[in-house]
Amino acid sequence: MIQLKHVSKTFQSGASSVHAVQDVSLDIKEGEIFGIIGFSGAGKSTLVRCINLLEKPTQGTVTVDGVELTGLDEKKLRQMRLKIGMIFQHFNLLRSRTVYQNIAFPLKKSNLSQEQKNQKILSLLELVGLSDKKDAYPSQLSGGQKQRVAIARALANDPKVLLCDEATSALDPQTTKSILALLKKVNEELGITIVIITHEMAVVKDICDRVAIMELGHVVEEGTTEDVFVHPQKPVTKDFISTAGNVDKIYELIAEKNPLTILQPGEKMVMLTYSANNAGEPLISYLSEAFDVKANIIYGNIDILKGKTIGKLVVTLSGEKANMEKAIAYIRERQVDMEVIQE
Amino acid sequence: MSFLYQIAPNLEPLGAELVKCIGQTLQMLFVSGIISFILGLLLGVVLIVTKKDGIMRQVAVYNFFDKAIDVIRSIPFIILMILLIPVSRAIMGTGTGVPGAYIALIAGTVPFFARQIESVLSDVDYGLVEASAAMGFSPIEIIFSVYLKESIPGITRVTMITMVSLIGITAMAGAIGAGGLGDFAIRYGHQMGYRDMIWVTVIIILVIISIIQGIGNLIIRRTTH
């Protein structure tokens, strides 16, 4: 649905230039929810603006629904933009217009009759659950309600793609959940491809099918959410994943020299990450039986990732040196991700 | 009526003249007000869309108008008026009377108003502009549907301020023979020494300003949500 090929965007300010996006290629498939995650300044907002050409890429091509946007003139581009809805962190509703008028606003560009437009707006209000607020002004709405209006407005011209630029970053966790559920519903019921820009791993975890991680203008890692979660490759990805769970706590405990974390000679502290396909196996007890290696659980965390379980365990292994080596080889063989934290 | 003549004895002989002068002031106010409103709004919009981060970025155009406004605004109105007499003769055919004052009044008002419009429009959240562009709106549509429509309360507020300042300069225009209440106050109140006529002009001007502000406040109340 969306193909980015070698997209770069450089901002010139006087003599210095900022490379916001550098040589990014992505292929976002029809009907999927694609997450782009990165810390502030990673270039993700610029990248999403390159998809509808709010920012013109300095290099590379952008193709949406088979049409190469980078090759279009302004007029044709505006036509194509009707097919690409967008929502923003700060909602960007028109303050002087009611909820109804805000949703009617993009329909100025539509060929529907007055009555069809009216029907459309009422059904969108129903979809986002705000039928009773149709005559309210944005100032009378909560943040979550404003984002619902923005979503309805973005859907008015039946887009094929919905771009979400930090759409939940200004919302509390509870409201974030309900907005994500709405986006999921939009994706499932209307078949709209959704691109989500966020710095919150929890957002990706909840609804994204695939995810790309951005750092300093580059996409450093890309894959299905589950793969990236279970086998993160790059340090920045690991950082994000630790923000979603709370296994990070272990590093604090180590730094505090908590008695739990003090190792005897020959012991190893490791973090095991296992996913749905090997979660149920009695690894810990097997280590003890087969290799006489004791695994003392120090810290644990279980994440539900789009319905699948991802477990993280911090354990100290103790036993004979040779047995330890065998045990570790066995863990690796079982495709349980293992990271040695301390030895 | 007789009560009025008692507290302002000169009103009786000068009543007809006063009415004529009120007419002249209103005429100057409406004609130059409307033209200045249109030109100032246009110029304000040009400034906001052509500047560095604007939607129709044209830095040369922005710099030209930006500097021109600064230059004209720095000339005191009374001098600007005299400076523009030849221009008025060329355009209006006369440099005196009410028609002779229009050019100076417009030149004195437009830069002031355009600056204020620029500041009102720059308060429009750029996010709205970006959202509208993402919805497929053209720059011209964005100017009307977003910049101007969303700024009605602000535009009304600065229009009121500008109208009050325009009343001020119409009185000054009276000094070089444009007529109106300023001229009336100078001729009868100052030169003839009729203090009561000064008070009468002050009250009439206060009434005009109150009406303008009343209408403005009503519009602001109705359009602010």
Side-chain angles (χ1 to χ4, degrees), chain B residues 80-103:
Chain B
L80 183 71
M81 211 162 47
I82 295 162
L83 201 65
L84 287 176
I85 288 174
V87 180
S88 180
R89 286 212 184 98
I91 298 173
M92 303 296 297
T94 172
T96 57
V98 171
Y102 288 147
I103 297 292

Side-chain angles (χ1 to χ4, degrees), chain B residues 111-131:
Chain B
F112 177 68
F113 187 55
R115 246 328 161 225
Q116 294 189 84
I117 290 292
E118 182 191 8
S119 123
V120 166
L121 298 184
S122 69
D123 282 345
V124 170
D125 185 353
Y126 190 74
L128 294 183
V129 175
E130 196 176 37

Side-chain angles (χ1 to χ4, degrees), chain B:
Chain B
M1 229 30 182
S2 63
F3 170 70
L4 267 181
Y5 291 151
Q6 230 166 25
I7 55 167
N10 294 309
L11 199 56
E12 196 160 8
L14 294 176
E17 177 70 9
L18 179 65
V19 169
K20 193 183 111 196
C21 289
I22 294 173
Q24 287 170 333
T25 291
L26 292 179
Q27 196 184 343
M28 283 192 276
L29 211 54
F30 278 107
V31 174
S32 45
I34 288 167
I35 296 174
S36 301
F37 179 81
I38 295 167
L39 292 179
L41 201 61
L42 192 71
L43 192 52
V45 168
V46 167
L47 285 172
I48 209 82
V49 299
T50 57
K51 74 167 161 203
K52 210 170 123 257
D53 302 316
I55 51 175
M56 297 163 88
R57 191 182 159 185
Q58 287 292 337
V59 179
V61 175
Y62 177 81
N63 285 339
F64 172 77
F65 285 116
D66 184 54
K67 294 286 175 301
I69 285 173
D70 284 345
V71 168
I72 298 175
R73 281 194 63 193
S74 60
I75 305 173
F77 180 71
I78 198 111
I79 298 172
L80 183 71
M81 211 162 47
I82 295 162
L83 201 65
L84 287 176
I85 288 174
V87 180
S88 180
R89 286 212 184 98
I91 298 173
M92 303 296 297
T94 172
T96 57
V98 171
Y102 288 147
I103 297 292
L105 291 173
I106 292 166
T109 307
V110 168
F112 177 68
F113 187 55
R115 246 328 161 225
Q116 294 189 84
I117 290 292
E118 182 191 8
S119 123
V120 166
L121 298 184
S122 69
D123 282 345
V124 170
D125 185 353
Y126 190 74
L128 294 183
V129 175
E130 196 176 37
S132 317
M135 282 179 230
F137 285 89
S138 69
I140 297 293
E141 289 168 319
I142 292 173
I143 289 171
F144 284 99
S145 313
V146 181
Y147 273 123
L148 295 180
K149 177 85 201 296
E150 289 295 306
S151 302
I152 291 174
I155 293 173
T156 311
R157 184 169 45 79
V158 300
T159 304
M160 279 164 23
I161 295 170
T162 307
M163 287 299 268
V164 171
S165 112
L166 179 60
I167 292 173
I169 62 174
T170 59
M172 242 187 278
I176 61 153
L181 287 167
D183 180 39
F184 183 86
I186 291 167
R187 268 190 292 151
Y188 299 104
H190 181 58
Q191 287 162 356
M192 311 270 292
Y194 299 158
R195 296 293 296 175
D196 56 339
M197 287 301 99
I198 294 194
W199 286 109
V200 167
T201 23
V202 167
I203 289 165
I204 292 169
I205 287 173
L206 281 180
V207 169
I208 295 174
I209 290 174
S210 306
I211 292 172
I212 291 171
Q213 285 188 326
I215 296 171
N217 287 334
L218 191 73
I219 296 174
I220 291 174
R221 255 205 315 279
R222 286 278 166 82
T223 53
T224 306
H225 300 289

Side-chain angles (χ1 to χ4, degrees), chain A residues 3 51 58 75 90 94 114 129-130 204 247 262 269 327 332:
Chain A
Q3 284 87 34
I51 297 178
T58 14
K75 206 167 162 220
H90 298 295
L94 300 152
Q114 216 51 47
L130 285 178
V204 171
V247 280
I262 297 190
M269 185 185 286
R332 293 233 154 96

Side-chain angles (χ1 to χ4, degrees), chain A residues 114-131:
Chain A
Q114 216 51 47
E115 186 42 41
Q116 284 169 316
K117 285 182 186 173
N118 182 44
Q119 285 306 322
K120 177 105 222 170
I121 297 164
L122 295 180
S123 72
L124 284 167
L125 278 167
E126 177 128 17
L127 175 78
V128 300
L130 285 178
S131 299

Side-chain angles (χ1 to χ4, degrees), chain A residues 51-110:
Chain A
I51 297 178
N52 59 4
L53 259 63
L54 280 180
E55 296 289 358
K56 308 256 181 298
T58 14
Q59 263 168 12
T61 61
V62 178
T63 309
V64 175
D65 198 20
V67 181
E68 194 196 313
L69 300 189
T70 30
L72 296 179
D73 61 29
E74 284 292 321
K75 206 167 162 220
K76 292 215 181 76
L77 175 61
R78 289 201 286 268
Q79 276 301 312
M80 272 305 290
R81 280 180 178 160
L82 299 182
K83 299 250 158 282
I84 310 171
M86 188 167 187
I87 57 173
F88 304 84
Q89 179 174 8
H90 298 295
F91 326 120
N92 294 344
L93 299 180
L94 300 152
R95 275 191 304 176
S96 71
R97 290 159 166 101
T98 63
V99 166
Y100 183 95
Q101 290 164 336
N102 262 286
I103 302 173
F105 184 60
L107 288 172
K108 284 184 182 184
K109 303 254 95 192
S110 138

